Amino acid sequence: MLQGQPNRRTGVCDSDVFIMSGGVTQDLKLCGQNSGQHVYYDVENVNDSVNVIMNLTDNNLFRMWEIKVTQIEFNQRAPAGCRQYYQGSNGIIQTMNFADNGRHLADQDYTICMRQEEGMCSIAYEPCDENSFKIGPPVLSDPGSGDGVAGDSRECDDKIVMPCDSEELIMPEASGPGVCDLLHCGSSFCNQGEMPCRIESSVTPFNIRVQFGPGAREESPEDNLGMCLRYEQLPCYE
């Protein structure tokens, strides 16, 4: 699906917008380039129609969309709360409108889930490339230091949330490699200096929550491309 881009400074879909409403979960609002993306929309026990609305402006002349709609049997549906659901021991996950010259969308709150495959007990994530994690400007570990690190909720309006293996390891501010950082934002998926950048978790179910605010602040689009991660499930060891 290719629509007009959001506001480059805020991420708000103030031009073209795709809206799905009427289901059990919150309304879905998208714009920009989302080819290859998918969403699960829960309509269990919904008697009224589910509405798909395309609001298109005169400013954007080049648009393309082809949307496949599939009704899924109960025993094949995604787990409750999963807006996206990936199957297979490895793959790529991206935030909406992740593209060259793109910008992550404002007002997004959803969970990306990966099905735990047979014989797999943990999962590893790493950025698709060196520029594939840009969720806000760099977060400073020490004001004036210039060191960008993964940030926490006090510093980030936009973030992704990943479960930690143990609550005892959750740190409000990351202090070095190996420390579990519950929240991730800024210009680096890992803490400064962690190379290669790779985060492993044995918490099940495997999921990542995307939380992007309402776009109340203007920021550089180059700092807000969004997220592209490769994931790989790791086998159990006895």
Side-chain angles (χ1 to χ4, degrees):
M1 184 173 67
L2 180 62
Q3 293 179 292
Q5 285 290 317
N7 184 299
R8 296 277 290 158
R9 303 290 299 180
T10 66
V12 174
C13 294
D14 55 9
S15 176
D16 292 357
V17 62
F18 167 92
I19 302 172
M20 181 178 291
S21 63
V24 175
T25 53
Q26 65 182 3
D27 292 355
L28 174 68
K29 296 182 180 180
L30 301 175
C31 61
Q33 183 174 332
N34 294 293
S35 299
Q37 293 278 23
H38 74 277
V39 296
Y40 284 81
Y41 199 70
D42 191 354
V43 295
E44 183 182 6
N45 298 323
V46 174
N47 296 321
D48 296 331
S49 299
V50 173
N51 300 313
V52 174
I53 302 171
M54 289 275 200
N55 287 337
L56 308 176
T57 65
D58 294 335
N59 299 329
N60 300 295
L61 300 179
F62 183 71
R63 304 182 183 94
M64 294 173 56
W65 67 84
E66 183 176 0
I67 302 171
K68 181 180 180 180
V69 179
T70 304
Q71 295 191 39
I72 300 172
E73 295 181 6
F74 183 86
N75 60 356
Q76 296 179 348
R77 68 176 185 170
C82 296
R83 178 58 58 91
Q84 293 190 300
Y85 187 49
Y86 289 85
Q87 302 177 38
S89 59
N90 59 77
I92 293 176
I93 55 178
Q94 298 177 334
T95 48
M96 299 298 177
N97 196 40
F98 186 89
D100 293 337
N101 204 37
R103 206 265 191 215
H104 77 69
L105 305 182
D107 197 20
Q108 303 283 306
D109 188 353
Y110 62 94
T111 301
I112 303 172
C113 305
M114 282 64 64
R115 185 180 68 181
Q116 183 179 4
E117 301 298 339
E118 185 176 358
M120 301 296 177
C121 283
S122 58
I123 189 168
Y125 304 94
E126 58 185 43
C128 296
D129 58 53
E130 61 183 9
N131 293 314
S132 66
F133 191 90
K134 300 286 186 180
I135 303 177
V139 178
L140 302 182
S141 56
D142 179 23
S145 69
D147 295 331
V149 299
D152 68 15
S153 60
R154 292 170 298 176
E155 300 164 322
C156 308
D157 292 331
D158 304 326
K159 54 188 174 289
I160 68 166
V161 182
M162 300 177 61
C164 290
D165 285 341
S166 170
E167 291 185 1
E168 296 178 354
L169 297 178
I170 297 175
M171 301 292 289
E173 294 182 1
S175 58
V179 175
C180 179
D181 189 20
L182 181 67
L183 308 170
H184 297 258
C185 63
S187 59
S188 177
F189 179 57
C190 297
N191 298 330
Q192 185 71 19
E194 275 196 61
M195 293 299 292
C197 177
R198 181 180 171 95
I199 294 178
E200 297 184 12
S201 174
S202 58
V203 177
T204 55
F206 302 145
N207 61 57
I208 291 177
R209 185 173 179 182
V210 176
Q211 292 183 301
F212 295 157
R217 295 191 306 181
E218 292 191 357
E219 293 180 336
S220 166
E222 285 73 24
D223 289 335
N224 288 276
L225 296 177
M227 174 193 77
C228 176
L229 297 178
R230 300 181 187 275
Y231 74 85
E232 177 188 9
Q233 296 189 29
L234 306 175
C236 305
Y237 295 100
E238 296 183 358

